[in-house]
Amino acid sequence: MNDDTQAALSYTSYLSLDEVLDAQHPRSDEHDELLFIVIHQVYELWFKQVLHEALYLQEQLEAGNTAHATRTLRRILTIFKVVVAQIDVLETMTPSQFTSFRARLDASSGFQSAQFRVLEAVLGRRDERVFAHYPEGGDQRAQISDAMSRPSLFDSFTTYLAVKGYDVPTGRDVTKPLEPSPALQEVLLRVYRDDTGPSVVAEHLVDLDEGMQEWRYRHVKMVERTIGDKTGTGGSSGAHYLRTTLFSPMFPDLWAVRSRL
Ligand code: HEM
Ligand SMILES: N[C@@H](CC(=O)c1ccccc1NC=O)C(=O)O
């Protein structure tokens, strides 16, 4: 196409708003279903942004760049605050309002959020059970599987510590779950005692771990108040299942050293 005939860039075209604002398709005539859809779409957009930042963060860490890594971590943490806070908006929906359209959700559920599973994998989760909700041979399954085969954020952090001259244990199989490592804990104690850039990065990783746990806690409370102990549309026991996910920190070594600091 000749440049002269191309429509001028506008707010609407730059942001693809025709597509974005045409992407809400309630399955009922219930007033509250639009909120439910919009909230989830906003989540998925933030997940996209967090994943984009997390990849950048891993590059910055592996290059030993404390300033950039710290800035990126602060951005991710700020987004986490926003996504935890937006649960307040969904909690303005009463149980009976949700019940009015819940059956129309069929068997769809948060279990099928591929970006959430990719995020968990980037943060170090290695757990085949999540695949149950993604068809074999599908793109989403491949994305989660790829993320589980790459070094996690914590692996990039240990690489960063090595670049900074710390004698970190090497040779971890990055496709396996993160296990507490006494040798790495000794290194972390030195990092905290030195109290320079790496200790700031470590504290931000603790913030991130806590932020993820905050989200899980707020999600469970929202579930308890909205559907009580009904089973989930995704086939789990619902709030009971979600409570079992509450107390598994992503970076166990960073928590293990705290009683010695
Ligand atoms: C009224 C609001 C909500 C209710 C009642 C609810 C309920 C549930 C339930 C019962 C499960 C367990 C899976 C199942 O059997 O269905 C679940 C999982 C999940 N939900 Fe929600 N949810 C709500 C809102 C949200 C929102 C806003 C998000 C944001 C993306 C979300 C993301 C997830 C994720 C990622 C999981 C999987 C968690 C895991 O396995 O650790 N949910 N939800
Ligand atoms: N699992 C929820 C339904 C639900 O919340 C949901 C359904 C479809 C898409 C996203 C959802 N949000 C989180 O699980 C339930 O059992 O009511």
Side-chain angles (χ1 to χ4, degrees), residues 102-136:
R102 184 174 183 241
R104 306 301 301 272
L105 303 175
D106 295 343
S108 68
S109 99
F111 273 160
Q112 297 164 319
S113 172
Q115 290 201 107
F116 185 80
R117 293 310 187 205
V118 171
L119 178 60
E120 287 184 317
V122 169
L123 296 176
R125 185 169 182 192
R126 302 284 181 267
D127 186 344
E128 302 281 315
R129 286 175 302 179
V130 304
F131 291 125
H133 302 275
Y134 301 89
E136 234 167 288

Side-chain angles (χ1 to χ4, degrees), residues 36 40 98 102 105 108-110 219 227 231-234:
F36 191 76
H40 283 86
F98 184 49
R102 184 174 183 241
L105 303 175
S108 68
S109 99
H219 177 257
I227 61 169
T231 56
T233 52

Side-chain angles (χ1 to χ4, degrees), residues 7 40 59 64 70 75 104 128 150 172 190 229 236 246:
H40 283 86
E59 285 170 17
T70 307
R75 179 176 293 172
R104 306 301 301 272
E128 302 281 315
R150 288 194 297 267
R172 191 186 100 78
R190 281 198 291 283
D229 59 10
S236 80
L246 284 182

